[in-house]
């Protein structure tokens, strides 16, 4: 019997607001344990939460970017449980009335595009962290993460393979990054997913029994976990056994999951409306204002790059990987340079250097406008490509203005007839043999003489102009072959 995989993800993303969801504590990763918290975010008795307006705006933004309906009225709820990462013994979340309802995310897969439905997006607070065996004396708790604002994006069980599941998570990450509501640093846990997996015979429409693996925080782990879990379930069915609905712990080092708790002891959270917070009202005007602030999303931008600008899909993919990179490319284009040149300087020259140095576009000491000016200098033959590469290297170290750097580094192109003919005369005088070879029909000799003339020009000549001038010097009237 052959089975198909069915997955649904619950993705948690920390919102990158300046302060936490209920108090003025700084919302930042790390810090000395228990220094970034106060009576409110740790939930000491009597402390009252006050909702951070930015959290609502960020959640609405995420909802709109994923085509959800925004609830005009949503309600915070208490999810009651005891665990030492949350001193007040409940998490403030949303339950019956979430903020965003019924959207979708379009995902590219090797089988073509797929639309994955979103059930809901709600806001909630994060909990602290337990540090097991940090000092060999039991478990310590760090409450800095208490009250960090989260959105939870609950997806429908629409995913049909591990690849699709991974691509969906990447698509969600890309959207959250593009709209700047989360720093989506998976390794810091600011984006993580609970992965629900079931299998069913191909052709069956009812859902099979699912298991859930919590808190996976890399794409690779998600993909491997789905495959391993589907295999495990298939083996159970093949042996005539049943899949038990349970929470399982994925161990990425071992590449396997193990059972944690079954449905028997499934928790009853006793949700009830949070009495210390008012319902959240979002007006149509709020929604319209936030919608107007949404930037072009990565998928739309890629489609425009390929469709309208004629950029190769692989390059479009690279140019839209992050907000910083896409923004930089837009700024290069805004300098009025050709698309092809802009793509080459971004993808080949800049990304190439970033890859080899392990740096990221977000922390360069120059912007897209500077790179655009450099490309414009090349297009105007004021700086030749070799010199422009040296200027780019300098920009990457110290930043600066390309035109001024070209002057101060002595890299302005030799393009005037006088300068070119001096270089050519020098090259011809010093290379009599090559000149003779050329005269007796050697095509190679031309290339050699061209190299020598470029050297005599200090590497700064415009190659096209120099080549034409050299032809002219050798053959008399230009033969159009430059
Ligand atoms: P809970 O909140 O108890 O985890 P939900 O019914 O809200 O349960 O579902 C949570 C997630 O599990 C959703 O992302 C949903 O798509 C997914 N899911 C539900 N049923 C299945 C199933 N049979 N197989 C795979 N995923 C499922
Ligand atoms: Mg769940
Ligand atoms: Zn606080």
């Amino acid at each position: 019997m052959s089975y198909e995989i069915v997955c649904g993800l619950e993705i948690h993303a920390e919102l990158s607001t300046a302060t936490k969801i209920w108090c003025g504590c700084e919302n930042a990763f790390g810090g000395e344990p228990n220094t970034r918290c106060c009576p409110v975010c740790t939930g000491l008795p009597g402390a009252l939460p006050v909702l951070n307006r930015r959290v609502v705006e960020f959640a609405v933004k995420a909802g709109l970017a994923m085509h959800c309906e925004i609830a005009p009225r949503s309600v915070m709820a208490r999810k009651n449980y005891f665990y030492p990462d949350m001193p007040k013994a409940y998490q403030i979340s949303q339950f019956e009335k979430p903020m965003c309802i019924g959207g979708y995310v379009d995902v590219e897969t090797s089988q073509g595009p797929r639309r994955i439905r979103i059930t809901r997006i709600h806001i909630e607070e994060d909990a602290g962290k337990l540090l097991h065996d940090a000092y060999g004396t039991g478990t310590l708790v760090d409450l800095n993460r208490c009250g960090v604002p989260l959105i939870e994006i609950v997806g429908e069980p629409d995913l049909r393979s591990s690849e699709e599941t991974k691509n969906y998570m990447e698509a969600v990450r890309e959207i959250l990054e593009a709209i700047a509501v989360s720093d989506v640093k998976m390794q810091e846990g600011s984006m993580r997913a609970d992965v629900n997996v079931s299998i069913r015979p191909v052709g069956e429409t009812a859902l099979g029994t699912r298991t859930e693996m919590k808190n996976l925080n890399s794409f690779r782990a998600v993909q491997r976990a789905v495959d391993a879990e589907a295999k495990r379930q298939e083996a159970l069915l093949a042996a005539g056994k049943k899949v038990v609905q349970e929470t399982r712990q994925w161990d990425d080092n071992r590449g396997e999951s193990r059972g944690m708790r079954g449905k028997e002891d499934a928790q009853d959270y006793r949700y009830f409306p949070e009495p210390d917070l008012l319902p959240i009202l979002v007006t149509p005007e709020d929604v319209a204002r936030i919608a107007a602030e949404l930037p072009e999303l990565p998928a739309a931008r890629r489609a425009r790059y390929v469709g309208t600008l004629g950029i190769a899909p692989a390059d479009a993919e690279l140019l839209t990987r992050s907000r910083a990179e896409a923004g930089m490319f837009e700024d290069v284009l805004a300098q009025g340079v050709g698309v092809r040149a802009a793509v080459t300087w971004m993808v080949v020259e800049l990304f190439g250097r970033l890859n080899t140095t392990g740096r990221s576009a977000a922390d360069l000491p120059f912007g897209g406008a500077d790179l655009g000016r450099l490309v414009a200098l090349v297009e105007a033959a004021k700086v030749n490509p070799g010199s422009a590469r040296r200027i780019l290297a300098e920009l990457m170290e110290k930043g600066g203005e390309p035109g001024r750097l070209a002057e101060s580094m002595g890299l302005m192109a030799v393009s005037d007839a006088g300068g070119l003919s001096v270089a050519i005369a020098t090259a011809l005088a010093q290379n009599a043999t090559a000149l003779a070879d050329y005269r007796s029909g050697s095509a190679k000799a031309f290339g050699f003489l061209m190299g020598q003339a470029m050297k005599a020009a200090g590497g700064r000549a415009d190659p096209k102009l120099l080549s034409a001038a050299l032809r002219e010097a050798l053959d008399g009237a230009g033969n159009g072959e430059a």
Side-chain angles (χ1 to χ4, degrees), residues 51 191 243 416:
L51 178 61
M191 183 173 154
V243 175
D416 60 298

Side-chain angles (χ1 to χ4, degrees), residues 6-10 154-157 196-198 207-210 212:
V6 175
C7 293
L9 297 190
E10 295 157 278
V154 182
E156 291 287 314
N196 297 271
V197 182
S198 63
L207 293 172
T209 305
R210 70 169 149 133
E212 175 172 18

Side-chain angles (χ1 to χ4, degrees), residues 316-339:
E317 185 76 40
L318 290 173
L319 290 166
T320 53
R321 272 180 314 193
S322 73
R323 203 161 72 236
E325 287 159 320
M328 192 160 191
F329 180 61
E330 293 289 323
D331 291 344
V332 173
L333 288 178
Q335 293 298 310
V337 300
V339 172

Side-chain angles (χ1 to χ4, degrees), residues 125-399:
E125 61 184 334
D126 210 345
K129 268 185 206 163
L130 297 184
L131 308 165
H132 299 289
D133 301 321
Y135 297 93
T137 54
T139 297
L140 303 177
V141 65
D142 173 9
L143 299 176
N144 284 351
R145 204 175 63 180
C146 281
V148 166
L150 290 177
I151 48 175
E152 177 173 346
I153 304 159
V154 182
E156 291 287 314
D158 284 351
L159 301 158
R160 294 290 174 269
S161 71
S162 64
E163 183 220 10
E164 217 165 277
T165 304
K166 174 183 128 276
N167 291 4
Y168 163 72
M169 192 163 170
E170 283 176 344
V172 170
R173 179 182 189 272
E174 193 177 81
I175 291 171
L176 296 177
E177 201 270 345
I179 63 175
V181 301
S182 172
D183 68 15
V184 293
K185 287 185 183 153
M186 317 251 301
Q187 65 290 1
E188 292 181 2
S190 43
M191 183 173 154
R192 47 197 199 255
D194 299 345
V195 181
N196 297 271
V197 182
S198 63
I199 59 171
R200 65 185 174 191
V202 172
E204 171 66 62
T205 50
L207 293 172
T209 305
R210 70 169 149 133
T211 61
E212 175 172 18
M213 294 172 283
K214 288 203 175 279
N215 279 325
L216 275 73
N217 68 348
S218 82
F219 298 122
R220 196 179 104 96
V222 166
Q223 182 157 18
R224 293 172 73 218
V226 170
D227 281 330
E229 180 55 17
K231 255 209 188 105
R232 190 189 68 86
Q233 294 183 10
E234 263 192 53
L236 281 175
L237 298 186
K241 296 181 188 161
K242 279 200 167 122
V243 175
V244 185
Q245 181 171 346
E246 62 180 350
T247 301
R248 300 180 63 83
Q249 171 85 45
W250 172 251
D251 183 334
D252 204 43
N253 294 322
R254 288 161 166 261
E256 61 185 36
S257 64
R258 50 177 182 274
M260 282 172 67
R261 55 169 192 258
K263 200 181 164 59
E264 301 79 64
D265 48 351
Q267 309 206 31
D268 178 354
Y269 294 113
R270 302 280 160 139
Y271 279 100
F272 63 82
E274 166 60 55
D276 289 340
L277 288 161
L278 293 166
I280 301 167
L281 305 181
V282 180
T283 66
E285 291 73 34
D286 293 329
V287 173
R289 176 178 51 82
I290 296 169
E293 284 169 17
L294 276 184
E296 183 179 36
L297 296 177
R301 183 167 271 172
R302 269 196 297 279
R304 178 169 64 86
Y305 283 180
V306 174
T308 312
L309 299 183
I311 296 173
D315 289 335
E317 185 76 40
L318 290 173
L319 290 166
T320 53
R321 272 180 314 193
S322 73
R323 203 161 72 236
E325 287 159 320
M328 192 160 191
F329 180 61
E330 293 289 323
D331 291 344
V332 173
L333 288 178
Q335 293 298 310
V337 300
V339 172
R340 187 180 282 254
V343 172
T344 304
W345 280 89
M346 281 293 293
V347 173
V348 181
E349 301 296 342
L350 180 65
F351 293 171
R353 280 171 178 75
L354 289 175
N355 284 345
T356 51
T357 55
R359 292 167 66 184
S360 99
D363 44 48
L364 287 170
F366 68 99
D370 297 314
L371 182 56
R373 274 183 223 117
L374 181 61
V375 177
L377 288 174
V378 176
E379 286 192 329
K382 293 200 171 124
V383 167
N384 79 17
S387 301
R389 286 187 197 99
R390 289 173 58 189
I391 294 170
L392 177 58
E394 182 69 12
L395 278 175
M396 290 184 70
E397 286 316 310
K398 307 198 183 92

Side-chain angles (χ1 to χ4, degrees), residues 395-411:
L395 278 175
M396 290 184 70
E397 286 316 310
K398 307 198 183 92
E401 203 285 315
R404 246 170 297 164
L405 283 177
E407 297 279 4
S408 67
M409 294 167 78
L411 292 174

